[in-house]
Amino acid sequence: MSVICKDTRGWLLDQLSHLNKAFQRCVSVKSPGQRQHMKCVFKREYFNIFKPHIISKLCSNTNVTARSYSNAVQEGEGNNDGNFETIREEPFSLKKKRKRKLKELNKGEVDAYEYHAKVSKIVLEGTKLLVEKGFAHGILDPSETGRESERLASGVDDNRLADLCEMAKQLPLVGDNEDKTVQIISEDDMTSTEDLDLFSYVTENISDCARLVTLMGQEYLIPPRSSFLLADISCIQPLVKYPPWENKSVKRSNRYNSLPSCQIKQIPIPSLAAPDCLVVTWVTNRQKHLQFVKEELYPYWSIEVLAEWQWVKITKSGEFVFPLESPHKKPYEILVLGRYKKIKDKSPSTPEVKTNTFPDCKLIISVPSTLHSQKPSLADVLKEFVDPEAKCLELFARNLQPGWTSWGNEVLKFQHLSYFNIEETWQDPLA
């Protein structure tokens, strides 16, 4: 379980432990009748962030809980871009910033300033309490302060999967059975997986162990009881969780193709969501996107806004990865939670059913991955808010999760074997 501890403020997560839990027992079939077992672990170096990416001159090397902070205009996107260059940043001053006064700031800057003023105290105080619990549990270590963070290159070409999806759109659908929608990978299947059609069908691993499969000449680890479809938005009608928002950072880096808000709005959520379905959307710190989700996107999809949570990113020593008072980068990102309300004919004899109050202003705190856009799993956090038998779907996904269906044109990205270490191997005695 990824939740190390929780209180009324939120949760402290260990994403690395959550990732590794699914790969304690993996099966590889290199040739028919030859099966090998192994234990795989996600490379720890991707989570070895020991000091902040930016150090404010206001801050000493003490823990984040002892820091002072000031309200700031936030202009950045808030994404962790994996840049380990540590610089010192001047404290923000409304008068010094571009020599403009508050009244001269544009609407986006004013909105960002007001939003940060509203949440900064919640973030600071909640993080303080949960970080202290992290020290007590040994998941965080204050003695790691100042230690150099580790660099580790990305495991596979970032654009390869997306390019293959684009190529697949130009090809005719193939297959003898037009009614087939799912292709199964089972533990007892002793055949190779190289011939799987990833672009036409949902691929599902129904076994209780992970499978190492060869797809398109590359090796990927498929978690137990997980399913996925490798396709882009024009090939399927999905739900949404982490849309590829347009922002300057993505445009500069060219890491992935983004979608304008008008296209995100056309995703047919009502055709797929069950009544009272919980919808969670990751939003960058750009206020334009947050307002779009709350005021336009969710109402268009008949989704009632329930709450806003923050994912707070810290180092292994408990410091914010970016200063809370930074005018450019914030150490948190936003999640907007909503409930789908199916539109139905109103009848005087059918009273409206009110749902329980949903908690607002919760914090999800974790050491982030240095890999761009590798978000922490919300599976354990959301368990207490959804039915145990609920079918969960993650859209625009870049990795797979046990018990979930994942969709996206980079859905296998972080399942590539190059992101893992193989710790143990043994032969199947029955093979």
Side-chain angles (χ1 to χ4, degrees):
M1 191 170 180
S2 62
V3 177
I4 301 301
C5 58
K6 68 175 183 177
D7 62 15
T8 57
R9 306 296 183 102
W11 302 264
L12 176 66
L13 307 185
D14 182 359
Q15 179 64 2
L16 183 61
S17 295
H18 177 80
L19 289 171
N20 290 336
K21 182 180 178 181
F23 303 104
Q24 296 299 299
R25 187 166 70 95
C26 309
V27 173
S28 171
V29 179
K30 294 296 184 181
S31 60
Q34 295 185 356
R35 184 163 58 183
Q36 185 180 52
H37 290 260
M38 62 189 68
K39 176 184 177 181
C40 298
V41 295
F42 203 85
K43 292 181 178 178
R44 180 177 296 275
E45 292 86 348
Y46 289 120
F47 290 89
N48 281 349
I49 299 178
F50 297 107
K51 67 180 182 179
H53 304 328
I54 296 176
I55 300 176
S56 171
K57 286 188 176 181
L58 287 179
C59 305
S60 64
N61 284 331
T62 58
N63 180 263
V64 63
T65 59
R67 290 181 173 180
S68 62
Y69 68 94
S70 63
N71 291 329
V73 173
Q74 176 271 319
E75 295 180 324
E77 304 299 333
N79 288 331
N80 177 20
D81 56 9
N83 182 6
F84 285 106
E85 181 182 1
T86 301
I87 63 175
R88 292 197 173 271
E89 185 176 77
E90 294 283 356
F92 174 75
S93 168
L94 286 175
K95 293 183 178 180
K96 290 183 179 180
K97 181 176 176 56
R98 299 181 185 174
K99 297 182 179 180
R100 292 187 296 168
K101 297 180 180 180
L102 179 60
K103 64 180 180 180
E104 297 173 338
L105 299 177
N106 62 43
K107 185 179 185 303
E109 292 171 328
V110 172
D111 289 344
Y113 174 84
E114 293 175 348
Y115 182 84
H116 181 70
K118 180 180 70 173
V119 305
S120 58
K121 185 177 181 180
I122 296 172
V123 170
L124 187 71
E125 293 179 353
T127 302
K128 175 182 178 179
L129 295 175
L130 285 165
V131 164
E132 289 175 351
K133 291 185 177 183
F135 292 152
H137 283 79
I139 189 66
L140 301 174
D141 185 354
S143 67
E144 299 283 8
T145 300
R147 178 179 168 184
E148 288 296 326
S149 300
E150 300 186 35
R151 296 173 181 264
L152 200 61
S154 178
V156 68
D157 182 8
D158 287 345
N159 297 319
R160 185 174 181 274
L161 293 173
D163 290 343
L164 286 170
C165 288
E166 186 65 26
M167 292 172 57
K169 290 194 298 182
Q170 312 302 324
L171 301 175
L173 294 176
V174 296
D176 298 330
N177 186 357
E178 295 183 355
D179 295 329
K180 178 182 177 181
T181 58
V182 179
Q183 54 190 355
I184 301 297
I185 303 175
S186 67
E187 185 173 359
D188 296 329
D189 187 0
M190 295 293 287
T191 60
S192 172
T193 55
E194 293 189 19
D195 296 330
L196 291 174
D197 182 354
L198 301 182
F199 306 104
S200 303
Y201 309 114
V202 173
T203 303
E204 182 176 3
N205 177 15
I206 63 172
S207 69
D208 291 327
C209 64
R211 283 291 302 268
L212 178 64
V213 301
T214 301
L215 305 170
M216 303 169 294
Q218 301 288 321
E219 291 184 304
Y220 298 91
L221 283 166
I222 311 301
R225 305 176 308 283
S226 65
S227 57
F228 67 92
L229 178 61
L230 180 63
D232 74 11
I233 196 168
S234 65
C235 300
I236 189 175
Q237 298 181 353
L239 291 173
V240 61
K241 189 177 180 187
Y242 178 41
W245 297 108
E246 288 185 313
N247 61 61
K248 294 178 182 179
S249 175
V250 170
K251 288 181 179 179
R252 287 193 299 265
S253 63
N254 196 30
R255 288 188 177 97
Y256 55 80
N257 294 326
S258 59
L259 284 180
S261 298
C262 60
Q263 290 188 25
I264 294 175
K265 190 175 177 180
Q266 297 308 311
I267 300 173
I269 297 300
S271 67
L272 293 175
D276 293 325
C277 171
L278 182 65
V279 179
V280 183
T281 304
W282 289 95
V283 185
T284 68
N285 279 325
R286 189 176 181 185
Q287 290 300 299
K288 178 182 177 181
H289 292 154
L290 178 60
Q291 293 168 1
F292 168 74
V293 170
K294 295 175 62 178
E295 300 172 8
E296 186 174 346
L297 184 64
Y298 274 17
Y300 183 80
W301 283 340
S302 300
I303 294 174
E304 174 192 3
V305 176
L306 298 176
E308 285 180 41
W309 294 354
Q310 280 77 37
W311 170 38
V312 182
K313 295 174 277 188
I314 60 173
T315 68
K316 293 179 75 69
S317 58
E319 299 175 278
F320 292 129
V321 295
F322 295 108
L324 190 60
E325 76 280 1
S326 169
H328 303 296
K329 292 280 192 177
K330 296 301 181 196
Y332 57 81
E333 294 185 37
I334 305 166
L335 296 89
V336 181
L337 296 93
R339 181 90 60 191
Y340 172 62
K341 296 296 184 181
K342 186 176 181 180
I343 300 176
K344 55 185 177 180
D345 295 332
K346 293 185 178 181
S347 172
S349 61
T350 306
E352 182 180 353
V353 178
K354 294 184 178 181
T355 56
N356 294 330
T357 302
F358 202 86
D360 196 10
C361 301
K362 289 283 191 176
L363 303 180
I364 297 173
I365 300 173
S366 71
V367 177
S369 167
T370 62
L371 296 168
H372 182 74
S373 294
Q374 187 181 27
K375 297 290 189 286
S377 170
L378 300 179
D380 289 339
V381 170
L382 296 178
K383 276 183 178 179
E384 59 185 283
F385 305 108
V386 298
D387 189 282
E389 302 301 321
K391 296 181 179 179
C392 301
L393 173 64
E394 179 176 7
L395 303 183
F396 304 101
R398 293 184 178 89
N399 60 273
L400 309 180
Q401 299 189 69
W404 285 58
T405 298
S406 303
W407 171 91
N409 62 5
E410 292 185 316
V411 73
L412 294 176
K413 181 179 179 66
F414 297 129
Q415 303 305 135
H416 196 276
L417 187 59
S418 60
Y419 291 110
F420 295 80
N421 288 322
I422 300 176
E423 289 195 343
E424 300 177 36
T425 60
W426 63 96
Q427 295 295 327
D428 190 337
L430 300 178

